[in-house]
Amino acid sequence: MSITDVNTAFAAEKTSQIESARGRERAFQARIDRGEIRPLGGGRFEVLVGYDRGEIFTVTRNALGEVSGIIAQHGLDARADGTIALYTTSPAWHGLGQIIPGGTSDIDDVLQLGGLDFDVTTVPAFYQWDGQLRQQPDQFHTVRKDTGAALGIVGKRYQPIQNRQGFEFLQELVGRYDVVWESAGLIKGGRRVFIAIRLPDTVTIDAHGINDLIVPYVVVINDHTGRGTFQCMVTPWRPVCANTERFAVRDSVTRWAVRHTAGATDQIKEARRTLGLSFQYFEAFAAEETALARTDIAVTDFHKAIADLWPLEEDATNAKKTNFATRLGALDSEFRTETARVGRSAYAAERAITSYLDHVAPRRPGKTMTEEIARATAAFEGADDDLKSRAHKRLMLLTRP
């Protein structure tokens, strides 16, 4: 006959729970101490390393102040069944979406998994006046056929480029290069959708030195608001920090776009030729980045480059001087991080500037956006492409005697 002492059992159970909670707290604090994440205040934290770098999450705590959960600020839309509208071949930082290890080569599966399997139509725009409903001449709304949600206001010449029509030209590349669809998803309720494939060949920067790998992707974005274009680009992705960036090779052909008008789907075929031209620039890109990697740079030279990119007038206001100092401090921090990885080189300087623009530079979000969504949208749209290109050209001057 066995006798159970409920008090002893209760004490043991509570001790186990407390130790488990303390273990989670210690593990979380250890990540902060190792520099993997940093507190932003208000329970918000930023990821500093790895695949998730630059992303923001919120930690919730229970009545005892113990870590009880993590809320991901992913900013992605939901599909009709309530799941997140994202297809990806590997887990994203937030762990959401339809993850297919190894990916798929079937475009219909990608469109369905990513929530892109909907068409867009246009309907007349109406307004209320003096108790009557009137039609606005030559103005229409773009509307999702599956949900009826309005996406934008367009003119009479606008013709939607359907998601499948716009993306299916990549299917030829998928077959030719024996690659899979890498990711697909939508933001802003389907106003903007994206899809990407990863090409099989990688670009090596300074093979006998830092041996940094660049993976080329083809990214296509379709805009249904009437304010944007259908665009296609070749972009390298540095897996070390998941830092998407555009080519910074002088005037290389990396982007192609067409407006939503009659015959646009036929013009999309031109993107094939543009992509072919873009691929030719990878060798030039690798050569220039290798030259940067082999060029030592002093902190003073880095600061001179920053001053050229973000000039400060002599009669600048105190507010502008403060902003300049804040930016310089943030760039110095990024530079230290990169020099620890690849040495104090012009390549580290370029990576620091790119990382600052992608992950740190302030973004003013719209009314329906968080700063994180605004930052992701800016990266997709290439808002800082010109500045990145100027930075590349400025640093390339240091490689020449």
Coordinates of all heavy atoms in Angstrom, one line a residue, residues 84-121:
I84 N -1.5 32.3 -42.0 CA -0.7 33.4 -42.5 C -0.4 33.2 -44.0 O -0.1 32.1 -44.5 CB 0.6 33.6 -41.7 CG1 0.2 33.9 -40.3 CG2 1.5 34.6 -42.4 CD1 -0.5 35.3 -40.2
A85 N -0.6 34.3 -44.8 CA -0.4 34.2 -46.2 C 1.1 34.3 -46.6 O 1.6 35.4 -47.0 CB -1.2 35.4 -46.9
L86 N 1.7 33.2 -46.4 CA 3.2 33.1 -46.7 C 3.6 31.7 -47.0 O 3.2 30.8 -46.3 CB 4.0 33.6 -45.5 CG 5.5 33.5 -45.7 CD1 6.0 34.5 -46.7 CD2 6.2 33.7 -44.4
Y87 N 4.2 31.6 -48.2 CA 4.9 30.3 -48.5 C 6.4 30.5 -48.4 O 6.9 31.5 -48.9 CB 4.5 29.8 -49.9 CG 5.5 28.9 -50.6 CD1 5.5 27.6 -50.3 CD2 6.4 29.5 -51.5 CE1 6.5 26.8 -50.9 CE2 7.4 28.7 -52.1 CZ 7.4 27.3 -51.8 OH 8.3 26.5 -52.4
T88 N 7.1 29.5 -47.8 CA 8.5 29.6 -47.8 C 9.1 28.2 -47.7 O 8.5 27.3 -47.2 CB 9.0 30.5 -46.6 OG1 10.4 30.5 -46.5 CG2 8.4 29.9 -45.3
T89 N 10.4 28.1 -48.1 CA 11.0 26.8 -48.1 C 11.7 26.5 -46.8 O 12.1 25.4 -46.5 CB 12.1 26.7 -49.2 OG1 13.1 27.8 -49.0 CG2 11.5 26.9 -50.6
S90 N 11.9 27.6 -46.0 CA 12.5 27.4 -44.7 C 11.8 28.3 -43.6 O 11.2 29.3 -44.0 CB 14.0 27.7 -44.7 OG 14.2 29.1 -45.2
P91 N 11.8 27.9 -42.4 CA 11.1 28.6 -41.4 C 11.5 30.1 -41.3 O 12.7 30.4 -41.3 CB 11.4 27.9 -40.1 CG 11.8 26.5 -40.5 CD 12.5 26.7 -41.8
A92 N 10.6 31.0 -41.3 CA 10.9 32.4 -41.1 C 11.1 32.7 -39.6 O 10.8 31.8 -38.8 CB 9.7 33.3 -41.6
W93 N 11.6 33.9 -39.2 CA 11.8 34.2 -37.8 C 10.6 34.0 -37.0 O 10.8 33.8 -35.8 CB 12.4 35.6 -37.8 CG 11.5 36.6 -38.2 CD1 11.3 37.1 -39.5 CD2 10.5 37.4 -37.4 NE1 10.3 38.0 -39.6 CE2 9.9 38.3 -38.3 CE3 10.2 37.4 -36.1 CZ2 8.9 39.2 -37.9 CZ3 9.3 38.3 -35.6 CH2 8.6 39.2 -36.5
H94 N 9.4 34.3 -37.5 CA 8.2 34.2 -36.7 C 7.6 32.8 -36.7 O 6.6 32.6 -35.9 CB 7.2 35.2 -37.2 CG 7.1 35.3 -38.7 ND1 6.7 34.2 -39.5 CD2 7.4 36.2 -39.6 CE1 6.7 34.5 -40.8 NE2 7.2 35.7 -40.9
G95 N 8.1 31.9 -37.5 CA 7.7 30.5 -37.4 C 6.3 30.3 -38.0 O 5.6 29.3 -37.8
L96 N 5.8 31.3 -38.8 CA 4.4 31.3 -39.3 C 4.5 31.0 -40.8 O 5.5 31.0 -41.4 CB 3.7 32.6 -39.1 CG 3.6 33.0 -37.6 CD1 3.0 34.4 -37.5 CD2 2.7 32.0 -36.8
G97 N 3.3 30.8 -41.4 CA 3.2 30.5 -42.8 C 3.2 29.1 -43.2 O 3.2 28.2 -42.3
Q98 N 3.2 28.8 -44.5 CA 3.2 27.4 -45.0 C 4.6 27.0 -45.4 O 5.1 27.5 -46.4 CB 2.2 27.3 -46.2 CG 1.0 28.2 -46.2 CD 0.3 28.3 -44.9 OE1 0.0 27.2 -44.3 NE2 -0.1 29.5 -44.5
I99 N 5.2 26.3 -44.5 CA 6.7 25.9 -44.7 C 6.7 24.6 -45.4 O 6.3 23.6 -44.9 CB 7.4 25.9 -43.3 CG1 7.2 27.2 -42.6 CG2 8.8 25.5 -43.5 CD1 7.6 27.2 -41.1
I100 N 7.4 24.6 -46.6 CA 7.5 23.4 -47.4 C 9.0 23.1 -47.5 O 9.7 23.7 -48.4 CB 6.9 23.5 -48.8 CG1 5.5 24.0 -48.7 CG2 7.0 22.2 -49.5 CD1 4.5 23.1 -47.9
P101 N 9.6 22.3 -46.6 CA 11.1 22.0 -46.7 C 11.4 21.4 -48.1 O 10.8 20.5 -48.6 CB 11.3 20.9 -45.6 CG 10.1 21.2 -44.6 CD 9.0 21.6 -45.5
G102 N 12.4 22.0 -48.7 CA 12.8 21.6 -50.0 C 12.1 22.3 -51.1 O 12.5 22.3 -52.3
G103 N 11.0 23.0 -50.7 CA 10.2 23.8 -51.7 C 9.4 22.9 -52.7 O 9.4 21.7 -52.6
T104 N 8.8 23.6 -53.6 CA 8.0 23.0 -54.7 C 8.3 23.7 -56.0 O 8.7 24.9 -56.0 CB 6.5 23.0 -54.4 OG1 5.8 22.5 -55.5 CG2 6.0 24.5 -54.2
S105 N 8.1 23.0 -57.1 CA 8.3 23.7 -58.4 C 7.0 23.9 -59.1 O 6.9 24.3 -60.3 CB 9.2 22.7 -59.3 OG 8.5 21.5 -59.5
D106 N 5.9 23.7 -58.4 CA 4.5 23.9 -59.0 C 4.0 25.3 -58.6 O 3.7 25.6 -57.5 CB 3.6 22.8 -58.4 CG 2.2 22.8 -59.2 OD1 1.7 23.9 -59.4 OD2 1.8 21.7 -59.5
I107 N 3.8 26.1 -59.6 CA 3.4 27.5 -59.4 C 2.0 27.5 -58.8 O 1.7 28.4 -58.0 CB 3.4 28.3 -60.7 CG1 3.1 29.8 -60.4 CG2 2.5 27.7 -61.8 CD1 3.2 30.7 -61.6
D108 N 1.1 26.6 -59.2 CA -0.3 26.6 -58.6 C -0.2 26.4 -57.1 O -1.0 27.0 -56.3 CB -1.2 25.6 -59.3 CG -1.4 26.0 -60.7 OD1 -1.8 27.2 -61.0 OD2 -1.3 25.2 -61.6
D109 N 0.6 25.4 -56.7 CA 0.8 25.2 -55.2 C 1.3 26.4 -54.5 O 0.8 26.8 -53.4 CB 1.7 24.0 -55.0 CG 1.1 22.7 -55.4 OD1 -0.1 22.6 -55.5 OD2 1.9 21.7 -55.5
V110 N 2.3 27.1 -55.1 CA 2.9 28.3 -54.5 C 1.8 29.4 -54.3 O 1.7 30.0 -53.3 CB 4.1 28.8 -55.3 CG1 4.5 30.1 -54.8 CG2 5.2 27.8 -55.3
L111 N 1.0 29.6 -55.4 CA 0.0 30.7 -55.3 C -1.0 30.4 -54.2 O -1.4 31.3 -53.5 CB -0.7 30.8 -56.7 CG 0.2 31.3 -57.8 CD1 -0.6 31.3 -59.1 CD2 0.7 32.7 -57.6
Q112 N -1.4 29.1 -54.1 CA -2.4 28.7 -53.1 C -1.8 28.8 -51.7 O -2.4 29.4 -50.8 CB -2.9 27.3 -53.4 CG -4.1 26.9 -52.5 CD -3.7 26.3 -51.2 OE1 -2.7 25.7 -51.1 NE2 -4.5 26.6 -50.2
L113 N -0.6 28.3 -51.5 CA 0.0 28.3 -50.2 C 0.4 29.7 -49.7 O 0.3 30.1 -48.5 CB 1.3 27.5 -50.2 CG 1.1 26.0 -50.4 CD1 2.4 25.3 -50.6 CD2 0.4 25.4 -49.1
G114 N 0.7 30.6 -50.6 CA 1.1 32.0 -50.3 C -0.1 32.9 -50.2 O 0.1 34.1 -49.9
G115 N -1.3 32.4 -50.6 CA -2.5 33.3 -50.5 C -2.6 34.2 -51.7 O -3.3 35.2 -51.7
L116 N -1.9 33.9 -52.8 CA -1.9 34.7 -54.0 C -2.9 34.2 -55.1 O -2.9 34.7 -56.2 CB -0.5 34.7 -54.6 CG 0.5 35.7 -54.0 CD1 0.9 35.3 -52.6 CD2 1.8 35.7 -54.8
D117 N -3.6 33.2 -54.7 CA -4.5 32.5 -55.7 C -5.9 33.3 -55.8 O -6.9 32.8 -55.6 CB -4.8 31.1 -55.4 CG -5.3 30.9 -53.9 OD1 -5.1 31.8 -53.1 OD2 -5.9 29.8 -53.7
F118 N -5.8 34.6 -56.2 CA -7.0 35.4 -56.4 C -6.8 36.3 -57.6 O -5.7 36.6 -57.9 CB -7.3 36.2 -55.1 CG -6.3 37.3 -54.8 CD1 -6.3 38.5 -55.3 CD2 -5.3 37.0 -53.9 CE1 -5.4 39.5 -55.0 CE2 -4.3 38.0 -53.6 CZ -4.4 39.2 -54.1
D119 N -7.9 36.6 -58.2 CA -7.8 37.6 -59.4 C -8.3 38.9 -58.9 O -9.0 39.1 -57.9 CB -8.7 37.1 -60.5 CG -8.1 35.9 -61.2 OD1 -6.9 35.7 -61.2 OD2 -8.8 35.1 -61.9
V120 N -8.0 39.9 -59.7 CA -8.4 41.3 -59.4 C -9.2 41.8 -60.6 O -8.9 41.6 -61.7 CB -7.2 42.2 -59.2 CG1 -7.6 43.7 -59.0 CG2 -6.4 41.7 -58.0
T121 N -10.3 42.6 -60.3 CA -11.1 43.2 -61.3 C -11.3 44.7 -61.0 O -10.8 45.1 -59.9 CB -12.5 42.5 -61.4 OG1 -13.2 43.0 -62.5 CG2 -13.3 42.8 -60.1

